Amino acid sequence: MSKHTATRESEVSLAELRGDCARMAPHWTAPKKTVVTPVKPSLIHGVTVPPASARLVDTMPEYGE
């Protein structure tokens, strides 16, 4: 077993982290909200799904189960 241990990045306290976030907050901008209108299912056509992908998605559990 190796006697070398990986050095951790500097330990940051929660207060320091919150302070860093507060200083960065003015630099962050939220994108403008856009209104998206749903597409009628009758307008969606020509979509093909490869069988392997369909099997993969079919075996995935539903969200929230």
Side-chain angles (χ1 to χ4, degrees):
M1 191 171 215
S2 175
K3 294 181 181 181
H4 301 287
T5 58
T7 58
R8 286 184 158 179
E9 292 185 19
S10 64
E11 295 288 329
V12 179
S13 71
L14 181 57
E16 289 172 314
L17 181 59
R18 290 180 68 195
D20 291 342
C21 292
R23 283 189 295 280
M24 287 300 299
H27 301 286
W28 298 333
T29 59
K32 292 183 180 182
K33 292 187 178 183
T34 58
V35 177
V36 179
T37 55
V39 175
K40 293 180 188 177
S42 61
L43 296 176
I44 300 173
H45 62 282
V47 177
T48 58
V49 179
S53 296
R55 281 192 306 271
L56 174 68
V57 172
D58 192 39
T59 60
M60 292 178 155
E62 293 294 323
Y63 180 77
E65 280 191 352

